[in-house]
Coordinates of all heavy atoms in Angstrom, one line a residue:
M22 N 61.5 39.1 104.4 CA 62.3 40.4 104.3 C 61.4 41.5 104.7 O 60.7 42.1 103.8 CB 62.7 40.5 102.8 CG 63.5 39.3 102.3 SD 64.1 39.5 100.6 CE 62.5 39.5 99.6
D23 N 61.4 41.9 105.9 CA 60.4 42.9 106.4 C 61.1 44.1 106.9 O 62.2 44.1 107.3 CB 59.5 42.3 107.5 CG 58.3 43.1 107.8 OD1 57.7 43.7 106.9 OD2 57.8 43.1 108.9
G24 N 60.3 45.3 106.8 CA 60.8 46.5 107.4 C 61.2 47.6 106.4 O 61.7 48.6 106.7
N25 N 61.0 47.3 105.1 CA 61.4 48.3 104.1 C 60.7 49.7 104.2 O 61.3 50.7 104.1 CB 61.1 47.8 102.7 CG 61.9 46.6 102.3 OD1 62.8 46.2 102.9 ND2 61.5 46.0 101.1
G26 N 59.4 49.6 104.5 CA 58.6 50.8 104.6 C 59.0 51.6 105.8 O 59.3 52.9 105.7
R27 N 59.2 51.0 106.9 CA 59.6 51.7 108.1 C 61.0 52.3 108.0 O 61.3 53.4 108.4 CB 59.5 50.8 109.4 CG 58.1 50.6 109.9 CD 58.0 49.5 110.8 NE 58.0 48.2 110.1 CZ 58.4 47.0 110.6 NH1 58.8 47.0 111.9 NH2 58.4 45.9 109.9
R36 N 58.0 55.1 101.1 CA 58.2 53.6 101.3 C 58.9 52.9 100.2 O 59.7 52.1 100.4 CB 56.8 53.0 101.5 CG 56.0 53.3 102.7 CD 54.6 52.7 102.8 NE 54.8 51.2 102.6 CZ 55.0 50.4 103.7 NH1 55.2 50.9 104.9 NH2 55.1 49.1 103.5
H40 N 62.0 49.9 99.5 CA 61.9 48.7 98.6 C 63.1 48.7 97.7 O 63.7 47.7 97.4 CB 60.6 48.6 97.8 CG 59.4 48.5 98.7 ND1 59.4 47.6 99.7 CD2 58.2 49.1 98.7 CE1 58.1 47.7 100.3 NE2 57.4 48.6 99.7
A66 N 58.9 37.8 99.1 CA 59.0 39.1 98.5 C 57.7 39.7 98.4 O 57.6 41.0 98.3 CB 59.7 38.9 97.1
N71 N 49.6 41.3 100.4 CA 50.3 42.6 99.9 C 49.5 43.2 98.7 O 49.7 44.4 98.5 CB 51.7 42.3 99.6 CG 52.6 42.1 100.8 OD1 53.6 41.4 100.7 ND2 52.2 42.6 102.0
R74 N 47.7 46.6 99.3 CA 48.4 47.8 99.6 C 48.0 48.8 98.5 O 47.5 48.5 97.5 CB 49.9 47.6 99.6 CG 50.4 46.8 100.8 CD 51.8 46.8 100.9 NE 52.2 46.0 102.1 CZ 53.5 45.9 102.6 NH1 54.4 46.7 102.0 NH2 53.7 45.2 103.6
E78 N 52.2 51.5 95.3 CA 53.3 50.7 96.0 C 53.4 49.3 95.3 O 54.4 48.8 95.0 CB 53.1 50.5 97.5 CG 54.2 49.7 98.2 CD 54.0 49.7 99.7 OE1 53.3 50.4 100.3 OE2 54.8 48.9 100.3
L82 N 56.6 47.8 93.2 CA 57.2 46.5 93.6 C 57.2 45.5 92.4 O 58.2 44.8 92.1 CB 56.4 45.8 94.7 CG 56.7 46.4 96.1 CD1 55.6 45.9 97.1 CD2 58.1 46.0 96.6
Ligands
IPE1 C1 58.6 44.2 103.4 O1 58.7 45.4 103.9 C2 58.5 44.1 101.9 C3 57.2 43.7 101.4 C4 56.2 43.3 102.1 C5 56.9 43.8 100.0 P1 57.4 46.2 104.2 O2 56.9 46.9 103.0 O3 56.3 45.3 104.9 O4 57.9 47.2 105.3 P2 57.2 47.6 106.7 O5 57.0 46.4 107.4 O6 56.0 48.4 106.4 O7 58.3 48.5 107.3

Side-chain angles (χ1 to χ4, degrees):
M22 308 183 289
D23 194 29
N25 293 351
R27 281 166 287 155
R36 292 178 56 84
H40 296 314
N71 289 152
R74 293 191 180 190
E78 182 174 346
L82 283 165

